[in-house]
Amino acid sequence: MIRKLDRDFLQVSVVEGSTTVVVDEASLDVIKGINFILPYTVKKYQIFGVANFVVSHI
């Protein structure tokens, strides 16, 4: 599923599981304990896999 970023940014912490985050042509494999930021310049992203997140935004 393609998701649209409608916030200034997303601060994402993976608290369980593993997943792949795809932005444009780049992909990042993330596992429990990894944190990442999706800035406002990212308009659309995809997440594949099974994981639980804590997501912060303004």
Side-chain angles (χ1 to χ4, degrees), residues 5-10 38-43:
L5 184 62
D6 60 354
R7 304 288 182 179
D8 290 340
F9 68 89
L10 294 180
L38 292 173
Y40 184 75
T41 55
V42 171
K43 298 301 180 194

Side-chain angles (χ1 to χ4, degrees), residues 25-46:
E25 300 298 318
S27 65
L28 174 67
D29 293 327
V30 293
I31 59 172
K32 179 180 176 181
I34 297 290
N35 301 295
F36 61 95
I37 295 174
L38 292 173
Y40 184 75
T41 55
V42 171
K43 298 301 180 194
K44 295 180 181 176
Y45 63 96
Q46 291 179 286

Side-chain angles (χ1 to χ4, degrees), residues 14-26:
V14 182
V15 295
E16 187 175 317
S18 63
T19 189
T20 300
V21 179
V22 178
V23 176
D24 297 324
E25 300 298 318

